[in-house]
């Protein structure tokens, strides 16, 4: 058994992972470097925001860590059905990468840990959440297979369940249940149980976080020099409009940050540099753009 608390092992992990992911992305870009902002939250804790922009490969992206604590805001205490004077700690890494080339997919991932404390300071509740999902603009089936296979290996026997949860979560319900992308894995409120101890869940979180670089960077390397034109950029920006809609209307992480007086620049880091909206736009039947829409539905990417 480990004598160090889950919190004291998870926090160094996300900071180390932030360093590794940023270094890998900078190497793939070859030009742009991450800008770092360290910030403090008046109510307790703070974070490290790292943003990359204007690169050879990455138009805009961020890899953020935060460890915030203090009194639970009343709106969250009501949601969790706990006394108003409850305290909490939330730690996590969140990233969104928007590439320049329309043939390179956007990617999102986060891994987080939450503790809720009683009046005496003891841990009253704890849970993990996280996942990763891919949002391509043009469907290149091998990329989806690679991404899903990597996280299937990281999740083991839980892949099918968490893939399904991802398919159900990243959906623009106001757009006739159109998926944001081609999914990945998503899980939340993973609490210790007889079947999975806190140590099991922590190791599961390590496995998923450590899978990110190998899930995404090979796709970037394969697609970053693909030729494209203005028509492909316009489609990319149109689809990014849907990405914005999901993040501002449905995303629980965004809403949590806004309700807990989070740092606005970090919360909205996920938004792309450029997006567009066209009135009642439909791609030409049989076009590569129309083909993508057929993949924005749940499908089996990796055979059981």
């Amino acid at each position: 058994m480990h004598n160090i608390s889950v919190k004291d092992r998870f926090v160094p992990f996300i900071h180390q992972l932030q360093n590794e992911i940023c270094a890998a992305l900078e190497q793939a870009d070859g030009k742009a470097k991450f800008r770092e902002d360290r910030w403090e939250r008046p109510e307790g804790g703070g974070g490290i925001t790292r943003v990359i922009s204007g690169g050879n490969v990455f138009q805009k992206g961020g890899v953020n860590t935060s460890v915030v604590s203090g009194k639970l805001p009343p709106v969250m205490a009501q949601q969790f059905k706990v006394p108003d004077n409850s305290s909490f700690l939330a730690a996590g890494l969140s990233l969104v990468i928007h590439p320049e080339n329309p043939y390179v997919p956007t990617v999102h991932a986060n891994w987080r840990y939450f503790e809720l404390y009683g009046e005496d300071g003891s841990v009253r509740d704890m849970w993990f959440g996280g996942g990763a999902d891919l949002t391509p603009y043009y469907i290149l089936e091998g990329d989806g297979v690679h991404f899903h296979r990597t996280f299937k290996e990281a999740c083991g026997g839980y892949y099918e369940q968490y893939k399904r949860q991802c398919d159900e979560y990243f959906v623009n319900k106001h757009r006739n249940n159109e998926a944001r992308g081609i999914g990945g894995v998503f899980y939340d409120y993973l609490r210790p149980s007889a079947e999975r101890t806190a140590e099991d869940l922590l190791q599961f979180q390590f496995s998923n976080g450590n899978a990110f670089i190998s899930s995404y960077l090979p796709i970037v390397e394969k697609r970053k020099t693909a030729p494209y034109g203005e028509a492909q950029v316009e489609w990319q920006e149109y689809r990014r409009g849907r990405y914005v809609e999901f993040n501002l209307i449905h995303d629980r992480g965004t809403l949590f940050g806004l309700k807990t007086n989070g740092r606005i620049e970090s919360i909205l880091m996920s938004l792309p540099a450029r997006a567009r909206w066209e009135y009642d736009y439909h791609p030409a039947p049989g076009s590569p753009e129309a083909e993508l829409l057929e993949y924005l539905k749940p499908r089996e990417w990796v055979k059981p």
Side-chain angles (χ1 to χ4, degrees):
M1 286 294 293
H2 294 272
N3 294 321
I4 305 173
S5 70
V6 170
K7 171 186 68 177
D8 290 336
R9 293 167 65 201
F10 184 70
V11 170
F13 167 72
I14 59 174
H15 289 146
Q16 177 63 26
L17 185 61
Q18 184 181 35
N19 292 338
E20 292 172 1
I21 290 173
C22 288
L25 293 171
E26 285 182 350
Q27 183 176 1
D29 189 275
K31 172 189 171 185
K33 301 293 184 184
F34 278 90
R35 165 191 166 179
E36 179 179 286
D37 279 334
R38 291 177 179 256
W39 53 273
E40 292 185 1
R41 179 174 174 270
E43 296 87 349
I48 304 169
T49 295
R50 290 185 186 162
V51 174
I52 192 169
S53 62
N56 290 328
V57 179
F58 303 119
Q59 187 180 95
K60 181 190 175 189
V63 182
N64 296 347
T65 52
S66 64
V67 183
V68 300
S69 58
K71 293 297 180 186
L72 200 63
V75 66
M76 301 307 294
Q78 186 177 5
Q79 180 179 328
F80 295 146
K81 296 181 174 59
V82 295
D84 284 348
N85 61 352
S86 298
S87 299
F88 79 102
L89 174 134
L93 183 156
S94 180
L95 67 87
V96 177
I97 305 297
H98 295 294
E100 188 75 32
N101 191 315
Y103 290 100
V104 180
T106 281
V107 71
H108 157 260
N110 69 74
W111 302 279
R112 57 193 181 277
Y113 175 64
F114 193 96
E115 285 186 349
L116 192 60
Y117 306 109
E119 290 183 31
D120 62 354
S122 63
V123 178
R124 171 181 175 146
D125 200 357
M126 59 179 282
W127 63 83
F128 290 95
D133 64 287
L134 200 65
T135 304
Y137 304 98
Y138 289 91
I139 198 68
L140 299 153
E141 196 158 311
D143 295 351
V145 171
H146 170 79
F147 188 82
H148 276 267
R149 182 181 291 130
T150 304
F151 280 102
K152 181 176 182 179
E153 291 171 0
C155 287
Y158 293 97
Y159 166 76
E160 294 294 341
Q161 177 186 350
Y162 297 152
K163 175 198 178 294
R164 184 174 64 253
Q165 290 177 187
C166 187
D167 289 338
E168 293 169 353
Y169 179 68
F170 291 102
V171 172
N172 272 322
K173 295 181 175 61
H174 66 286
R175 292 284 190 179
N176 198 28
N177 290 321
E178 178 188 273
R180 187 172 81 174
I182 61 169
V185 294
F186 175 76
Y187 48 90
D188 208 355
Y189 302 112
L190 299 188
R191 292 177 166 89
S193 66
E195 293 77 29
R196 300 173 83 183
T197 65
E199 179 66 22
D200 293 335
L201 296 176
L202 181 64
Q203 293 300 326
F204 178 80
Q205 198 76 317
F206 289 167
S207 176
N208 275 271
N210 288 329
F212 174 76
I213 292 175
S214 59
S215 77
Y216 184 59
L217 268 293
I219 298 173
V220 173
E221 293 297 335
K222 193 187 300 184
R223 308 299 177 193
K224 67 182 184 181
T225 58
Y228 63 92
E230 186 59 33
Q232 287 74 43
V233 171
E234 288 186 1
W235 173 248
Q236 177 194 53
E237 292 176 354
Y238 173 76
R239 290 303 310 166
R240 282 184 176 166
R242 299 297 174 85
Y243 199 95
V244 170
E245 290 178 25
F246 178 85
N247 281 32
L248 294 183
I249 297 172
H250 303 295
D251 187 73
R252 292 205 295 258
T254 300
L255 299 177
F256 176 82
L258 295 174
K259 289 177 180 178
T260 55
N261 194 29
R263 184 172 184 264
I264 296 300
E265 289 301 315
S266 298
I267 295 167
L268 300 185
M269 170 277 301
S270 62
L271 301 184
R274 297 195 297 269
R276 69 168 58 215
W277 285 263
E278 302 284 350
Y279 179 75
D280 199 27
Y281 172 74
H282 300 279
S287 66
E289 291 79 11
E291 183 186 13
L292 172 74
L293 301 183
E294 292 303 309
Y295 279 77
L296 300 182
K297 303 165 186 172
R299 68 171 51 224
E300 186 179 288
W301 286 95
V302 186
K303 287 186 169 56

